[in-house]
């Protein structure tokens, strides 16, 4: 046997015992890192497809990716098998051995047959070799076949890893104390609530303007909620959303502008509601300060209000993506029901 074949057999044996065992280790590695296991021969065909799935960025103003991608060979799989996020990718038409062997032995025979017939090429599973792990397989007979599958199911696959990231981060964020008394106070006063991390403080509270502003430092983060009671127009369209976003900083923050650099306003959902999401850059009117911002605007039928939830970050010396995503987790605990 060749060394490569022996490595493949060793890896597959490790997989068998890991999957068969009732106890699974806790996954390790960075929450925002995806390890892609792929043969050298396949990589040049598949890497552009991986980038199309996981290459989403936000400008802070530097482009920061939602996920960092690390490529390893199948021979290195044993070293990385309990990482938090793993993708195994293989093309059956490209002559190699280990990646194809991994796929054929990881998946049940019926799923391997589905790949051979071109019926399904993308699979994902939680807690496969480790707890809190997201594990996926991308395989096809050819790069064109896999490209077609990615076009159809790429967003779904991104969401599997994204939801896993958000769940893990939420557990981490609220592992320490949270401000439950403040959340209860907000509910009693304004009939909405949010799970607020322990280190945020109230910067400004203006009940007459329906405006609440929280913040924390290191890195500096602002989070605010503003709402319109009983709006005449309840159907928020793109123009209404754009006007509300562009007017917001000068009306409520005073010292801040939202710029048009890298601005993006798109329709989305916010906890089941139709919503508009904006992202872009902000700048201070006097000081040399700035960074990314994100806004959500939506109508809530329960309270008969249009809400605008905004957050922004100032962290010139470091990465901002993790802070942005943690703030997104926090605002998605926003609720207008008592449960």
């Amino acid at each position: 046997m060749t060394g490569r074949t022996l490595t493949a057999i060793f890896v597959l044996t490790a997989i068998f015992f890991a999957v068969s065992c009732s106890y699974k280790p806790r996954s390790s590695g960075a929450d925002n890192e995806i390890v892609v296991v792929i043969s050298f021969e396949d990589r040049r065909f598949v890497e552009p497809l991986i980038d199309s799935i996981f290459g989403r960025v936000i400008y802070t103003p530097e482009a920061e990716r939602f996920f960092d991608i690390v490529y390893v060979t199948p021979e290195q799989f044993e070293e990385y098998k309990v990482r938090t996020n793993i993708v195994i990718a293989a093309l059956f038409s490209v002559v190699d051995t280990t990646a194809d062997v991994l796929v054929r032995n990881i998946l049940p025979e019926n799923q391997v047959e589905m790949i051979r017939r071109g019926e399904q090429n993308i699979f994902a599973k939680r807690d496969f070799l480790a707890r809190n792990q997201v594990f996926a397989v991308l395989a096809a007979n050819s790069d064109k076949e896999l490209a077609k599958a990615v076009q159809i199911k790429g967003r779904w696959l991104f969401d599997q890893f994204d939801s896993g990231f958000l769940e893990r981060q939420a557990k981490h964020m609220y592992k320490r104390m949270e401000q439950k008394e403040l959340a209860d106070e907000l509910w009693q006063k304004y009939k909405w609530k949010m799970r607020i991390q322990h280190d945020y403080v109230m910067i400004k509270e203006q009940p007459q303007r329906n405006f609440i502003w929280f913040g924390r430092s290191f890195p500096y983060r602002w989070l605010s909620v503003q709402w319109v009671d009983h709006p005449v127009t309840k159907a928020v369209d793109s123009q209404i959303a754009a006007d509300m976003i562009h007017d917001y900083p000068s009306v409520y923050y005073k010292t801040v502008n939202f710029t048009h650099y890298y601005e993006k306003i798109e329709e989305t959902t916010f906890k089941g509601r139709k919503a508009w999401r904006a992202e872009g850059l902000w700048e201070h009117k006097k000081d040399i300060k700035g960074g990314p911002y994100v806004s959500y605007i939506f109508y809530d039928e329960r309270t008969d209000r249009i809400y605008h939830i905004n957050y922004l970050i100032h962290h010139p010396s470091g990465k901002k993506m993790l802070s942005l995503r943690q703030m997104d987790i926090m605002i998605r605990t926003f609720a207008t029901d008592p449960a």
Side-chain angles (χ1 to χ4, degrees):
M1 293 185 184
T2 66
R4 186 171 183 175
T5 303
L6 285 171
T7 301
I9 292 172
F10 175 75
V11 168
L12 293 172
T13 303
I15 291 173
F16 174 79
F17 283 111
V19 175
S20 300
C21 184
S22 59
Y23 173 79
K24 294 178 182 178
R26 184 179 297 277
S27 61
S28 63
D31 272 354
N32 66 334
E33 179 183 88
I34 297 177
V35 175
V36 179
V37 183
I38 189 168
S39 68
F40 173 79
E41 295 86 350
D42 289 348
R43 180 170 171 177
R44 67 189 181 96
F45 299 104
V46 178
E47 186 171 353
L49 300 178
I50 295 293
D51 284 342
S52 72
I53 299 170
F54 300 112
R56 184 178 175 186
V57 303
I58 191 167
Y59 292 94
T60 68
E62 297 81 11
E64 292 189 33
R65 296 177 67 133
F66 278 57
F67 290 101
D68 295 327
I69 308 298
V70 175
Y71 287 92
V72 303
T73 64
E75 290 87 350
Q76 296 173 286
F77 180 76
E78 177 69 16
E79 179 184 350
Y80 290 90
K81 67 182 182 182
V82 297
R83 287 297 177 91
T84 301
N85 302 302
I86 297 182
V87 173
I88 296 181
L91 298 176
F92 291 174
S93 60
V94 178
V95 179
D96 59 46
T97 56
T98 50
D100 299 352
V101 171
L102 280 175
V103 170
R104 289 188 176 98
N105 285 271
I106 285 171
L107 295 181
E109 182 58 32
N110 66 314
Q111 291 182 334
V112 175
E113 283 301 316
M114 292 173 72
I115 294 171
R116 291 194 181 105
R117 295 193 298 266
E119 295 174 355
Q120 187 170 348
N121 306 95
I122 298 175
F123 305 88
K125 184 175 176 59
R126 294 284 189 96
D127 305 324
F128 184 60
L129 298 177
R131 290 173 289 160
N132 299 319
Q133 182 186 68
V134 182
F135 192 100
V137 171
L138 280 71
N141 294 303
S142 68
D143 56 327
K144 291 182 179 178
E145 186 175 279
L146 189 57
K148 183 178 179 180
V150 167
Q151 187 177 12
I152 296 170
K153 213 171 177 181
R155 179 65 201 210
W156 173 86
L157 184 62
F158 176 89
D159 289 343
Q160 305 312 301
F161 286 89
D162 194 49
S163 60
F165 170 88
L166 295 174
E167 289 169 16
R168 292 187 300 268
Q169 281 293 310
K171 290 178 183 178
H172 169 74
M173 286 171 56
Y174 295 111
K175 183 167 61 177
R176 300 177 65 181
M177 292 188 301
E178 61 180 282
Q179 301 192 54
K180 294 183 178 180
E181 291 184 4
L182 179 56
D184 291 340
E185 181 182 340
L186 292 171
W187 174 255
Q188 294 301 323
K189 288 182 177 180
Y190 307 116
K191 299 306 176 188
W192 59 263
K193 57 187 176 181
M194 184 185 300
R195 295 181 67 184
I196 302 169
Q197 284 185 277
H198 70 285
D199 47 3
Y200 278 78
V201 298
M202 183 77 76
I203 297 175
K204 188 175 290 186
E205 182 177 11
Q206 297 180 321
Q208 72 281 7
R209 305 182 75 196
N210 296 341
F211 178 68
I212 305 294
W213 178 5
F214 307 100
R216 61 164 288 185
S217 57
F218 309 117
Y220 289 96
R221 313 178 199 185
W222 288 355
L223 188 157
S224 64
V225 182
Q226 197 278 326
W227 62 96
V228 178
D229 289 312
H230 313 300
V232 176
T233 302
K234 304 180 191 303
V236 181
D237 60 21
S238 59
Q239 188 58 56
I240 292 173
D243 290 343
M244 292 180 69
I245 290 162
H246 294 151
D247 293 342
Y248 193 76
S250 60
V251 174
Y252 294 101
Y253 292 143
K254 301 296 186 182
T255 59
V256 165
N257 285 324
F258 290 169
T259 77
H260 292 287
Y261 296 110
Y262 303 117
E263 182 183 76
K264 181 167 64 175
I265 301 175
E266 58 187 358
E267 187 174 341
T268 185
T269 59
F270 185 88
K271 301 188 70 174
R273 309 171 179 90
K274 176 184 175 181
W276 292 92
R277 181 185 184 278
E279 65 180 52
L281 301 177
W282 66 273
E283 61 184 7
H284 198 277
K285 291 182 178 180
K286 297 180 179 179
D287 298 334
I288 304 176
K289 292 180 180 179
Y293 79 85
V294 175
S295 279
Y296 289 90
I297 294 176
F298 57 89
Y299 172 72
D300 177 68
E301 191 174 51
R302 179 183 290 273
T303 54
D304 190 24
R305 292 169 175 168
I306 293 176
Y307 286 93
H308 183 172
I309 304 178
N310 171 262
Y311 59 88
L312 52 83
I313 292 176
H314 177 61
H315 188 35
S317 61
K319 297 287 187 180
K320 305 166 188 66
M321 178 62 78
L322 183 60
S323 296
L324 284 168
R325 306 220 64 199
Q326 288 180 344
M327 295 188 79
D328 211 77
I329 290 169
M330 190 161 71
I331 70 163
R332 286 185 178 276
T333 66
F334 178 91
T336 59
D337 58 89

